[in-house]
């Protein structure tokens, strides 16, 4: 038996594409560690600090940037978001797969990261909603955000969707079950890749 190194499954897609649900389910089924991001945005109703995000003040976030604690960070929807190195590197080294839900700017930074462990581990997927109408319905249906926030997210979503050709894989969202089947198939196949077994 050979052991294998961990996979870093990077997932992007506009808010409302369903990507967070996919990532969370993979972690709930203990197929991967979910990288809990830091953010300066306030928690939504029901969100728990340390589970959904590490909710930080802007000052705390900035001092962690200065301390070199982030693998990547970006400004999204007028707030800071970032991935702590501690959420990713040790898990990969221990052979645990890690799933991360980050925006297109963060994805760019991870792709250009010179760390060979990250380069070897990385696969990137873009999740798209089936149509603009469905995306708007999903963003509105969440019921947690004010109208102007939804408008901003819709505008950002359309801009973000132009980036899908930069990814190795793309998933167009259909039903939750179909999406999850495709998503899980991706990581199952990657686990068989010879370069991870050597
Ligand atoms: P939300 O506020 O809806 O939870 O997330 C807004 C956006 O921020 C989503 O596109 C999500 O993928 C992105 N995001 C969440 N965590 C991170 C992170 O750690 N880094 C980056 N670059 N983007 C993130």
């Amino acid at each position: 038996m050979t052991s294998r190194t961990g996979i870093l499954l990077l997932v992007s897609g506009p808010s409302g594409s369903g990507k967070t649900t996919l990532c969370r389910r993979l972690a709930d089924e203990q197929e991967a560690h979910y990288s809990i991001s830091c953010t300066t945005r306030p928690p939504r109703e029901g969100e728990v600090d340390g589970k959904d995000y590490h909710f930080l003040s802007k000052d705390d976030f900035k001092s962690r940037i200065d301390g070199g604690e982030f693998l990547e960070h970006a400004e999204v929807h007028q707030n800071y978001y970032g991935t702590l190195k501690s959420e990713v590197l040790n898990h990969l080294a221990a052979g645990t797969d890690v799933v991360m839900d980050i925006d297109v700017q963060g994805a760019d930074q991870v792709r250009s990261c010179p760390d060979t462990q990250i380069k070897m581990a990385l696969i990137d997927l873009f999740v798209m909603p089936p149509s603009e109408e469905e995306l708007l319905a999903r963003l509105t249906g969440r019921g947690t955000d004010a109208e102007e926030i939804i408008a901003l997210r819709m505008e950002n979503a359309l801009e973000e969707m132009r980036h899908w050709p930069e990814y190795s894989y793309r998933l167009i969202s259909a039903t939750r079950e179909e999406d999850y089947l495709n998503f899980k198939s991706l990581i199952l196949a990657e686990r068989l890749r010879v370069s991870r077994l050597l």
Side-chain angles (χ1 to χ4, degrees):
M1 275 288 284
T2 46
S3 60
R4 63 172 182 86
T5 52
I7 297 163
L8 180 57
L9 175 54
L10 187 164
V11 185
S12 299
S15 311
S17 62
K19 67 186 189 304
T20 310
T21 309
L22 291 172
C23 295
R24 285 284 175 188
R25 183 161 165 195
L26 199 68
D28 288 347
E29 294 186 1
Q30 305 193 334
E31 296 287 347
H33 167 74
Y34 183 90
S35 164
I36 299 168
S37 296
C38 296
T39 183
T40 59
R41 81 151 163 76
R44 296 199 185 103
E45 207 182 312
E47 284 184 330
V48 177
D49 185 34
K51 180 172 171 281
D52 297 291
Y53 279 104
H54 302 293
F55 293 101
L56 305 181
S57 67
K58 283 206 166 143
D59 283 348
D60 191 1
F61 199 102
K62 283 180 185 157
S63 70
R64 285 168 191 260
I65 296 176
D66 295 342
E69 290 186 39
F70 288 109
L71 181 62
E72 62 74 35
H73 60 86
E75 199 179 332
V76 186
H77 309 143
Q78 296 161 356
N79 280 298
Y80 291 112
Y81 290 80
T83 307
L84 292 169
K85 289 177 184 166
S86 59
E87 287 285 341
V88 176
L89 299 178
N90 295 345
H91 295 283
L92 291 181
T96 303
D97 298 330
V98 177
V99 60
M100 66 197 307
D101 164 358
I102 69 173
D103 86 315
V104 294
Q105 307 167 71
D108 243 359
Q109 292 174 41
V110 177
R111 277 188 215 105
S112 52
C113 173
D115 185 318
T116 44
Q117 186 191 9
I118 299 279
K119 283 201 180 305
M120 294 264 305
L122 187 64
I123 50 172
D124 53 351
L125 168 74
F126 196 89
V127 183
M128 307 262 278
S131 64
E132 282 185 29
E133 293 73 33
E134 175 63 18
L135 176 63
L136 184 61
R138 289 183 189 184
L139 289 178
T140 312
R142 183 145 67 186
T144 52
D145 294 317
E147 219 167 90
E148 68 272 22
I149 304 261
I150 292 173
L152 178 65
R153 281 173 184 266
M154 188 69 193
E155 203 179 296
N156 288 342
L158 296 177
E159 155 45 37
E160 203 166 29
M161 278 180 344
R162 300 214 320 261
H163 290 266
W164 72 263
E166 295 158 19
Y167 289 71
S168 312
Y169 296 92
R170 182 188 71 170
L171 177 76
I172 297 181
S173 169
T175 66
R176 276 189 183 210
E177 283 311 309
E178 274 176 88
D179 291 354
Y180 188 67
L181 190 67
N182 281 318
F183 188 58
K184 193 164 165 188
S185 304
L186 180 60
I187 201 160
L188 293 180
E190 277 297 320
R191 286 178 184 162
L192 308 180
R193 193 187 276 274
V194 168
S195 60
R196 299 190 191 284
L197 303 171
L198 295 172

